[in-house]
Amino acid sequence: MKQLLTLVLAGVFHLFHSAQAQEPAGSTRRDSTRLAVTSHTLLSTDQVPFWLEMNRFGRVDDESPVQQLFVFDWQQALRNRQGKPFFDYGLTMTARIGEQSKFYPEQYWGRFTAGSFYFLAGAKAEPVWAGGLSHTNGDLFQSNNARPLPRGELGLEKFSPFSSGWLSRFSVDARYAEYLLTDDRYIDHAQLHHKKAVINYAASEALTVHVGLDHWVFWGGRSPDPEIGKIPGFKYYLRYVLGLDGGSDSPETDQQNIAGNQLGQSLIGLDLSQPGYELKVYYQHLFEDGSGFVFHNMQDGFWGLSLRQLKKDPFIERFVIEFVNTTDQSGQYHKNEPGTGAGEGRDDYFTHGVYHSGFVAYNRMMGSPLFIPKIADGISQGFESTRLRAIHGGISGYLSPQVNWEGKGTYARYYGNYEDPFPRYRDLISLEAGLHIRPKQKPISYGFRLGTDLGRHRYIGRSFGCEFSLQYQIR
């Protein structure tokens, strides 16, 4: 802890020093620094309301009715005016005071960028999308609901090898990453692989179409189940990455199906840019195995629309509407189950027979927060309900150039799992509203939010809460 505190203090000293330093005359450098300290005070009934807790990088303790958060955020970019390679890095420290007090490094990362290529190392959250109104941050699998895991990542952004002709309308966004699972999980020392590729086609100056694939797989590690024991790791790396079946010394389920805990989604999007507004339409179709990949679960997926008005400080600036359905799961029965004659059903998204903790980081769902993990002895044991339907909306705008407002509302209906269905569905209704005040030419900003839950869900009862925030941005 002393070493960590020393690191933070050294970083603060460096930032104050760099903030005061003057750029030499004629210099081509264009460095930038961001340093902010934020305080969040949360007051609630027995449980923190859903939208005061979720999509907060795993910072909020859901069972502490009174808690105080302090967040120190430092980001430094070393750039130049010629568009040459540059380096940026950051550190976010979080302290929580409440029934479950904690002090830890939330983000710590460095990134090297050269043209369209980049390499990133460390734990870094995803950029906030659509003004934070989306319930998934625009991605069903990768939101900012959980504390970010450390990773090594190679990627391309808007890469196009062609500078002229119709082929120059195409570009590629891609990433290839290996994560370190540093949290407590059912499978010790497991690894997480991720790759994603999106092809962008600029049909015109106003219209761009996106098509892509996203693939995740948990692999390796050691199970506490003596019948499974050590799971083969790097020796079968290509089997995991390519979605092949397991080898002869893999768990039986890997030999019969696919190696590791595989999960993916097909991506389709459309961006329309006009003089007065920007429109984004997106669709993501998830799959756990081959049946989902060939759309046997056609009705399952994530649909969304984001609209942004481009006028300066309008009363309504952004609007988001999203719908999720995961009730089909390729049917109720497993393939070749006696007497059913059905397909490869019971996909049971985000869970796995070997990797019981499921698609979580630090006991939080890594994607849509509507999927709520079951926690036993401090470790996620998967999800009580992976079959749900939900609709979510968000809206934001300005009351004045210094005051912006927002509101979010979500309705979800849970059906349990095919293996263990609920006798009667359970509903979640969650509402949130907030104001953010940024006084002119002052480094201090203020925030106030109200949240309430009205549904009948086992893990989310009726609740009400509020949050006061204060941010001091040094630079």
Side-chain angles (χ1 to χ4, degrees):
M1 183 63 73
K2 289 182 179 180
Q3 292 177 341
L4 189 58
L5 183 59
T6 301
L7 174 64
V8 174
L9 293 175
V12 173
F13 174 82
H14 166 75
L15 282 168
F16 276 110
H17 181 269
S18 63
Q20 296 169 0
Q22 298 295 317
E23 190 175 85
S27 171
T28 61
R29 298 200 66 81
R30 191 175 58 194
D31 299 353
S32 64
T33 301
R34 181 184 187 275
L35 176 60
V37 179
T38 309
S39 164
H40 303 270
T41 304
L42 286 92
L43 307 171
S44 64
T45 53
D46 291 341
Q47 189 176 44
V48 179
F50 189 83
W51 282 125
L52 295 186
E53 174 194 352
M54 303 301 183
N55 283 354
R56 304 285 299 274
F57 312 98
R59 295 170 181 166
V60 179
D61 176 22
D62 62 338
E63 296 183 351
S64 293
V66 179
Q67 54 190 294
Q68 179 69 48
L69 302 176
F70 295 99
V71 181
F72 166 88
D73 186 47
W74 161 38
Q75 296 183 34
Q76 178 83 38
L78 308 177
R79 302 171 182 266
N80 58 70
R81 293 190 178 95
Q82 283 80 20
K84 294 180 180 178
F86 66 90
F87 183 66
D88 54 338
Y89 51 92
L91 172 69
T92 301
M93 300 296 299
T94 298
R96 181 177 67 223
I97 301 172
E99 293 183 6
Q100 299 289 332
S101 297
K102 197 170 187 179
F103 175 61
Y104 60 95
E106 179 185 291
Q107 298 185 60
Y108 43 94
W109 56 274
R111 172 171 154 149
F112 171 77
T113 303
S116 297
F117 167 84
Y118 71 85
F119 172 71
L120 184 147
K124 187 179 188 300
E126 295 300 302
V128 175
W129 188 82
L133 296 179
S134 168
H135 91 280
T136 67
N137 203 42
D139 191 331
L140 187 64
F141 287 8
Q142 193 173 31
S143 70
N144 284 321
N145 188 51
R147 175 179 160 188
L149 291 162
R151 68 188 187 271
E153 177 177 303
L154 294 170
L156 296 172
E157 291 182 333
K158 298 296 184 288
F159 170 72
S160 178
F162 306 100
S163 58
S164 61
W166 68 272
L167 286 175
S168 65
R169 294 176 176 267
F170 289 92
S171 65
V172 176
D173 294 318
R175 59 174 67 178
Y176 189 100
E178 292 294 336
Y179 286 74
L180 295 176
L181 301 183
T182 53
D183 52 350
D184 294 328
R185 314 180 71 88
Y186 180 80
I187 300 290
D188 287 334
H189 309 301
Q191 307 296 324
L192 176 60
H193 165 77
H194 177 219
K195 57 181 173 290
K196 181 178 183 179
V198 177
I199 298 174
N200 313 294
Y201 175 67
S204 67
E205 290 187 4
L207 180 64
T208 303
V209 179
H210 314 277
V211 178
L213 281 175
D214 189 24
H215 179 227
W216 299 78
V217 54
F218 291 90
W219 58 279
R222 179 177 290 277
S223 171
D225 184 345
E227 294 187 5
I228 297 177
K230 189 177 186 306
I231 302 169
F234 193 74
K235 65 181 287 190
Y236 289 152
Y237 181 72
L238 288 180
R239 291 179 182 263
Y240 297 121
V241 170
L242 299 176
L244 305 177
D245 58 1
S248 58
D249 51 348
S250 297
E252 184 177 352
T253 182
D254 285 15
Q255 297 180 47
Q256 295 175 349
N257 195 2
I258 299 176
N261 180 10
Q262 306 265 346
L263 182 68
Q265 57 181 340
S266 307
L267 312 169
I268 300 174
L270 180 150
D271 294 350
L272 179 64
S273 179
Q274 293 294 311
Y277 66 90
E278 292 177 343
L279 174 68
K280 297 180 183 293
V281 181
Y282 41 102
Y283 166 64
Q284 297 166 15
H285 176 80
L286 68 171
F287 55 87
E288 277 273 353
D289 53 28
S291 61
F293 190 72
V294 296
F295 287 80
H296 285 180
N297 58 342
M298 182 66 186
Q299 63 182 277
D300 289 347
F302 170 50
W303 297 259
L305 178 149
S306 171
L307 180 65
R308 182 186 182 190
Q309 190 174 192
L310 298 179
K311 289 196 304 184
K312 183 175 176 58
D313 304 327
F315 178 68
I316 297 179
E317 182 192 33
R318 294 181 185 269
F319 171 75
V320 169
I321 185 75
E322 297 175 331
F323 176 72
V324 178
N325 180 35
T326 60
T327 59
D328 183 73
Q329 303 194 3
S330 302
Q332 184 176 357
Y333 303 103
H334 284 300
K335 180 180 180 181
N336 299 327
E337 189 165 284
T340 67
E344 303 176 357
R346 295 199 178 193
D347 289 336
D348 206 10
Y349 307 129
F350 309 118
T351 64
H352 194 259
V354 174
Y355 294 86
H356 291 328
S357 289
F359 201 67
V360 301
Y362 300 98
N363 290 335
R364 300 272 182 159
M365 170 59 173
M366 289 193 289
S368 168
L370 294 175
F371 297 88
I372 302 167
K374 298 181 295 184
I375 309 299
D377 299 325
I379 295 178
S380 169
Q381 301 295 326
F383 303 90
E384 184 183 49
S385 179
T386 61
R387 299 182 64 238
L388 63 85
R389 289 190 178 97
I391 186 168
H392 168 84
I395 189 168
S396 66
Y398 288 84
L399 298 178
S400 74
Q402 285 76 48
V403 181
N404 71 287
W405 62 274
E406 68 165 40
K408 288 188 284 192
T410 306
Y411 170 72
R413 176 162 288 182
Y414 295 81
Y415 299 90
N417 305 319
Y418 277 128
E419 184 100 17
D420 186 18
F422 293 158
R424 187 178 185 274
Y425 56 76
R426 298 171 184 167
D427 288 345
L428 165 67
I429 302 172
S430 186
L431 305 172
E432 182 264 350
L435 288 174
H436 194 194
I437 304 169
R438 299 180 181 87
K440 258 185 182 181
Q441 299 178 340
K442 290 187 178 181
I444 298 178
S445 61
Y446 314 89
F448 176 70
R449 300 170 68 198
L450 293 173
T452 186
D453 297 332
L454 304 173
R456 298 181 180 277
H457 189 281
R458 176 179 297 183
Y459 296 121
I460 304 172
R462 293 174 179 266
S463 61
F464 177 81
C466 61
E467 175 186 343
F468 304 89
S469 62
L470 172 66
Q471 182 178 90
Y472 183 74
Q473 186 159 325
I474 298 169
R475 185 172 178 179

